[in-house]
Amino acid sequence: MLAGGGSVCDLDALDAPDIGAVLDTSESMAEVLCRPIPRVPALRGRTVMLLFYEASTRTRHSFELACKALGADSLTLSAATSSVAKGESLRDTMRTAAAMGADLVVLRHPASGAAHYAAALGLVPVLNAGDGTHAHPTQALLDLFAVRRRTGRLEGLRVCIVGDILHSRVARSSAAAFVKMGAALTLCGPPTLLPRAAGPALGAAVEYDLGAALRGADVVMVLRLQHERHDDGAGGLPSLGEYRRGWGIDAGRLLRHCPGALLLHPGPVNRGAELSDEVLDLPGAVVQDQVAAGVAVRMALLYRILEGGRGAE
Amino acid sequence: MAALALREKAILLDEEALGRALRRMAHEIVERHAGTRGLLLVGIRRRGVPLARRMAREIEAFEAVAPPIGELDITLYRDDLTTKHEHPQVGRTHMPENPAGKSIVLVDDVLYTGRTVRAALDALVDLGRPAQIQLAVLIDRGHRELPIRADYVGKNVPTAKREVVEVRLHEIDGRDEVALLEPGGGPGTR
Amino acid sequence: MIALRGGRLCDPGAGWDGPADVYLAGGLVAAVLPAGAPAPDGCWQAVPCDGLLLVPGPVDALCRVSLQPDPWREDVRSAAAAAAAGGYTAVLAYTGSADPAQIAALAAMSGLPVRLHPVAALTRAGALADLGLLADAGAVAFSDWPEPPPDAGLMRRALEYAAWVGRPVVAHPEDPGLARGGVMHEGTVSFALGLRGVPAAAETVAVARDAALQRAFGGRLHFAALSCGDSLPLLSGATAAVTAHHLGLTEDAVRGYDAAAKLRPPLRTDEDRRALLAAALEGRLLLASGHDPHLPADKDREYDYAAAGASALETALPLALGLLGPQAFVHAASRLPAAVFGLAGGTLAPGRPADLAAFAPDEEWPVDPAGFASRGRASPLAGRVLRGRPAFTCVDGRLVRGRAAAAPAGVADPDATTA
């Protein structure tokens, strides 16, 4: 899906070598970010429209920094402040983006599949910055990047993703990415938030007992509890206390079952909710690495999408 | 471009001549800088890097001090990327020390349009403000499109635009030589 | 006085399956004779039907019709035109209306290329609708489809009362609690796509409940459309339909987030599809289109936000004919609907209404919603090639050329319907 300046809606079209190449490019981008002037002119004259139908400071700022570092112009359209709030359809907003000369639309949207829909219009390539509960490919790639930097490898790693799998686009994308790179994946969470179908859908083992899931893990990814997505009234999560009893991550559990494991969290962290206060200070916590990795990985994807599509000049 | 069969027309430098050229250039660099103090050799990826390394070894042989080597990837500064690389590989830039205030000798294999050097200059300046930047190339084949000239040249070779100069180095290609290729004829040599 | 000559007639109700000449007079079937036999006395307008398949008039058992005239939305006339183009001679028009005057007006509408049999609302504001008055006005059945059925207490009353009125109750088998928020079948595909699922149990629970109510309290119960194989053993004394989409497609049609494949009930697994197809082949299910068209602006958008339902009248019969073969097709599309809803068609025996459809069984054609007579342009079959195409229909003994461009040579006058 990267070829020909195409859209990136999820990781389905990327195989392990593709992902490896993106991570390698991300290394180069990380070096650029360490320079006294962290900026290169690679995408000078390109316009990237950040179209955010869902509040997100972290991802938006990360993309904005990535655009700046590559010399691209970025333009942010947030649902709250634009014609989008006036009821303009996604289709028409994409047309507007094309008419404004955007070379790429970075789309964050609350509906699963919105990125596919926008990309299929064929107007402007789309880079998915999170769609509903479906996919968040840049987050998955930055997780891989942060882990690979710490461990030097991805193949053969035992990765455990804990939390509300059902409502997490991060879980879906990161799980797919880790599996593609040869990691052994275990999913863990309350039965109401971790359907059996998740196992076959993602090529992962499903384990409802946290201790069993954590045992021997090299990487533990803790998902954010998405209170805002528990609106189905089906009682998927009785209370925070009930959740913590079974699946809360604290230093004791981590040290007992998988000492030395890396701890990932897509952020923003609800300190004291899904994670106990002290675990973020454990040496294995790489949450800040993830944030830094985010800019480099997004630079790599922006560069590959926009540069790959450039004709002879 | 890939579809075009290229045929070898001449060997411009063999292993021995290539070594001699590098040795001479190393001497010239030391002579003009009156030593190695403040000197930083920066190879342009890919083949400029091993060339810079070899010149540093030559310099070490007669000065007893090897100048530091930097590696510069200029992919993100290019203005001449074409569809021939669907996804240009971005290599890493590595500087052993801050280039600010240094006397830098940029090293590349072939000087042609000058666009690569232009990109390298932009990249270097972004990394810090060097005291001076000079340019050393193994082959100068002419056809400049920018006002750029080399300070040290291994060999000047008049070429036609349709021809290709191919520098082969042990470190990358398994042997040392410089060949002149031209399109047409039998099976390509690439 | 029309003579349809040389076609293959498939009419299991009359024991016919072979070349026949069909004679229509006075809105009724006058005679069905072996092909080439001498014509009965009279002045017959001959319609050559060589290579065509003739079947008793198909009746659509599930079609949503809005009584509100609207130049953009599907209304009665555009739905009727789409039905005729799709090879139907009659449509059960689910109006959702509890107003006897509206039902009477619909029943009395003239100049339509198909017969419209109104289906009136079952409930109104949480209480029974005026079922007797609605039946008097012409309602052939009662249903709140596509809304879920009422609570068990009201459903019981509805079955009891409708039985006294002599009409079936059509239930949409969907448990609201289980289906809440769902936009496709719940399973590995919904998980991978990040779409909220409707579990199969949302249907089976509702089927089991209503079937139990029917056993306990009587009445005639029909399920609007089944999507799950597991619903079949639960039917008990109830009848049920399946849509052509559910016989031909699975949840895989949703991959890529094609909102045209967002249906209610949702497309389910291939196992479900096969079970339903097997039941239809055994003659246990009615065929329906499930036609539920929407404005393009409501369909061509993010899958999550798109309306559920598709335009189906012009594709359902060709798709089902290919899947079922002529015998089972006629049984499911014509005989069973006529029997369940007490209509006069279902077979072409002499003296029966002269309602029939002719199909070019081998013609392959690409589905292009832009060419639909329906105003709904969303079809999960768009771009597919279907085999078997409606050629024309006869309604009340009059020729209806639903699809003007591709009518076979010799078929007369497209305006014949109004003659």
Side-chain angles (χ1 to χ4, degrees):
Chain A
M1 214 144 185
L2 280 174
S7 300
V8 176
C9 299
D10 50 40
L11 296 175
D12 289 357
L14 300 191
D15 56 15
D18 284 332
I19 292 174
V22 172
L23 298 183
D24 290 344
T25 307
S26 305
E27 290 285 355
S28 304
M29 297 302 182
E31 181 273 317
V32 169
L33 291 172
C34 292
R35 294 180 188 177
I37 305 170
R39 190 172 291 202
V40 290
L43 296 181
R44 205 168 46 184
R46 301 311 187 91
T47 303
V48 176
M49 184 180 276
L50 309 181
L51 188 50
F52 276 62
Y53 284 78
E54 211 178 53
S56 156
T57 350
R58 179 177 301 237
T59 305
R60 182 162 58 81
H61 286 168
S62 180
F63 270 110
E64 281 169 354
L65 283 173
C67 288
K68 275 202 178 69
L70 290 171
D73 296 313
S74 69
L75 189 67
T76 301
L77 235 74
S78 298
T81 57
S82 67
S83 50
V84 167
K86 296 171 191 152
E88 186 178 65
S89 71
L90 178 54
R91 180 193 194 91
D92 289 324
T93 305
M94 286 299 291
R95 285 192 180 184
T96 306
M100 289 169 100
D103 297 291
L104 176 71
V105 166
V106 173
L107 180 68
R108 162 66 66 96
H109 199 288
S112 298
H116 275 93
Y117 174 80
L121 296 173
L123 299 164
V124 184
V126 173
L127 174 51
N128 187 3
D131 62 328
T133 57
H134 169 235
H136 196 347
T138 59
Q139 176 73 38
L141 290 169
L142 75 85
D143 288 341
L144 294 185
F145 184 73
V147 170
R148 195 177 79 163
R149 281 202 138 182
R150 286 283 189 121
T151 62
R153 72 188 169 114
L154 294 170
E155 197 171 347
L157 286 182
R158 281 160 301 174
V159 179
C160 179
I161 303 184
V162 182
D164 177 2
I165 311 283
L166 180 62
H167 296 100
S168 174
R169 57 189 169 217
V170 174
R172 282 175 182 77
S173 281
S174 292
F178 275 113
V179 169
K180 276 185 198 223
M181 301 312 280
L185 185 69
T186 302
L187 303 172
C188 182
T192 46
L193 300 177
L194 173 51
R196 285 262 168 222
L202 294 174
V206 170
E207 174 60 64
Y208 296 106
D209 179 69
L210 182 64
L214 290 180
R215 210 155 294 138
D218 302 301
V219 176
V220 177
M221 178 187 290
V222 181
L223 301 172
R224 202 167 69 84
L225 273 181
Q226 312 238 31
H227 303 293
E228 67 270 23
R229 296 202 198 278
H230 292 161
D231 55 353
D232 57 2
L237 189 60
S239 73
L240 212 48
E242 184 67 30
Y243 176 82
R244 285 189 206 129
R245 169 185 170 272
W247 301 276
I249 298 288
D250 57 35
R253 279 177 164 160
L254 281 180
L255 294 174
R256 185 157 64 246
H257 298 297
C258 49
L262 295 184
L263 180 71
L264 271 67
H265 190 291
V269 177
N270 302 332
R271 246 181 212 267
E274 65 271 6
L275 287 175
S276 75
D277 222 24
E278 78 280 1
V279 293
L280 287 170
D281 304 323
L282 290 177
V286 294
V287 178
Q288 296 316 313
D289 293 28
Q290 289 174 274
V291 176
V295 181
V297 165
R298 288 175 179 122
M299 285 170 74
L301 273 177
L302 289 172
Y303 179 71
R304 283 180 63 113
I305 293 172
L306 288 171
E307 204 49 65
R310 195 203 285 251
E313 300 183 11
Chain B
M1 202 113 155
L4 219 60
L6 291 173
R7 146 169 94 81
E8 205 161 285
K9 189 179 178 188
I11 294 294
L12 301 174
L13 294 175
D14 60 12
E15 181 164 358
E16 209 181 313
L18 196 152
R20 266 201 304 274
L22 288 178
R23 211 165 305 132
R24 176 173 51 76
M25 286 160 68
H27 276 282
E28 286 175 14
I29 289 168
V30 172
E31 194 179 328
R32 285 225 231 149
H33 286 82
T36 59
R37 195 207 260 287
L39 185 62
L40 172 60
L41 299 188
V42 175
I44 300 178
R45 275 186 187 272
R46 284 174 71 203
R47 287 182 178 73
V49 174
L51 288 176
R53 231 176 242 133
R54 289 203 210 173
M55 281 198 271
R57 274 205 301 276
E58 295 291 346
I59 291 172
E60 187 178 19
F62 52 83
E63 287 288 303
V65 183
I69 303 292
E71 301 177 8
L72 191 62
D73 185 276
I74 52 127
T75 318
L76 297 172
Y77 286 83
R78 294 192 80 113
D79 64 357
D80 59 348
L81 286 170
T82 64
T83 45
K84 70 178 170 179
H85 300 295
E86 198 172 60
H87 292 303
Q89 276 302 311
V90 183
R92 293 190 70 185
T93 289
H94 171 74
M95 288 294 152
E97 45 199 87
N98 192 332
K102 292 285 183 315
S103 279
I104 291 181
V105 177
L106 263 181
V107 182
D108 202 2
D109 55 351
V110 179
L111 178 57
Y112 182 26
T113 61
R115 289 184 189 273
T116 303
V117 175
R118 199 272 317 153
L121 291 172
D122 284 354
L124 268 182
V125 170
D126 278 359
L127 292 172
R129 187 182 179 282
Q132 181 190 28
I133 303 178
Q134 293 184 328
L135 175 64
V137 297
L138 184 60
I139 302 290
D140 182 348
R141 59 169 294 194
H143 303 292
R144 216 77 75 239
E145 293 170 4
L146 296 171
I148 282 170
R149 61 163 186 81
D151 302 274
Y152 314 96
V153 178
K155 186 179 172 79
N156 281 293
V157 182
T159 59
K161 277 194 156 187
R162 61 191 185 88
E163 292 168 337
V164 173
V165 174
E166 198 170 278
V167 172
R168 298 163 187 153
L169 299 175
H170 264 301
E171 295 89 329
I172 294 169
D173 311 293
R175 60 187 156 147
D176 273 359
E177 65 185 10
V178 179
L180 183 64
L181 313 177
E182 66 177 358
T189 56
R190 302 191 78 166
Chain C
M1 306 263 286
I2 293 176
L4 305 167
R5 291 187 195 275
R8 172 188 169 190
L9 173 66
C10 181
D11 181 2
W16 266 100
D17 191 1
D21 293 336
V22 180
Y23 297 88
L24 311 176
L28 300 175
V29 177
V32 178
L33 301 174
D41 289 342
C43 178
W44 303 99
Q45 178 199 349
V47 178
C49 295
D50 302 286
L52 296 182
L53 173 71
L54 301 180
V55 300
V59 180
D60 185 15
L62 189 64
C63 172
R64 195 171 181 182
V65 166
S66 163
L67 297 179
Q68 193 65 42
D70 184 329
W72 291 1
R73 288 181 188 275
E74 191 91 302
D75 58 18
V76 174
R77 292 198 179 272
S78 64
Y88 287 104
T89 61
V91 167
L92 283 149
Y94 287 67
T95 61
S97 170
D99 178 354
Q102 282 186 330
I103 296 298
L106 181 62
M109 255 179 109
S110 62
L112 298 175
V114 293
R115 298 180 196 268
L116 277 190
H117 301 293
V119 176
L122 181 65
T123 64
R124 181 186 48 197
L128 278 189
D130 299 330
L131 303 190
L133 292 172
L134 289 165
D136 292 346
V140 299
F142 305 108
S143 179
D144 291 336
W145 180 81
E147 298 303 315
D151 70 60
L154 186 51
M155 191 64 172
R156 168 206 174 161
R157 298 297 176 209
L159 283 165
E160 289 171 337
Y161 199 89
W164 181 77
V165 172
R167 297 284 188 277
V169 169
V170 183
H172 172 46
E174 181 185 279
D175 180 84
L178 287 168
R180 176 158 36 207
V183 293
M184 70 171 296
H185 173 66
E186 180 177 305
T188 53
V189 178
S190 71
F191 181 83
L193 294 177
L195 293 174
R196 193 174 286 184
V198 180
E203 177 172 305
T204 54
V205 163
V207 168
R209 185 200 81 167
D210 289 348
L213 291 174
Q214 194 240 359
R215 277 199 306 279
F217 304 107
R220 279 158 60 199
L221 177 65
H222 174 76
F223 291 107
L226 297 185
S227 63
C228 304
D230 285 346
S231 296
L232 292 167
L234 305 171
L235 287 175
S236 190
T239 56
V242 62
T243 78
H245 285 145
H246 289 86
L247 292 179
L249 298 170
T250 68
E251 57 179 344
D252 282 325
V254 178
R255 288 186 195 274
Y257 300 95
D258 179 9
K262 184 173 178 180
L263 304 178
R264 200 173 166 191
L267 293 169
R268 298 205 185 262
T269 66
D270 196 49
E271 204 182 343
D272 290 308
R273 186 189 73 84
R274 286 166 187 275
L276 293 168
L277 185 59
L281 285 167
E282 290 167 11
R284 294 158 59 201
L285 293 175
L286 283 70
L287 179 72
S289 73
H291 185 71
D292 188 6
H294 298 280
L295 281 180
D298 294 333
K299 278 306 266 187
D300 182 9
R301 57 179 312 177
E302 300 92 322
Y303 184 96
D304 249 351
Y305 302 161
S311 190
L313 282 171
E314 286 155 88
T315 52
L317 292 178
L319 178 62
L321 176 58
L323 291 166
L324 297 172
Q327 293 265 352
F329 170 78
V330 171
H331 190 75
S334 185
R335 274 187 88 187
L336 274 182
V340 168
F341 293 100
L343 310 174
T347 175
L348 289 174
R352 296 290 192 118
D355 291 3
L356 62 85
F359 290 85
D362 298 322
E363 185 178 340
E364 298 193 342
W365 57 286
V367 176
D368 176 14
F372 280 179
S374 166
R375 291 187 187 136
R377 295 295 155 85
S379 168
L381 299 166
R384 292 202 184 208
V385 173
L386 294 183
R387 188 180 161 95
R389 192 165 202 185
F392 63 88
T393 58
C394 289
V395 176
D396 203 21
R398 287 189 290 259
L399 269 181
V400 179
R401 204 170 63 167
R403 194 167 46 80
V411 173
D413 201 3
D415 297 325
T417 49
T418 53

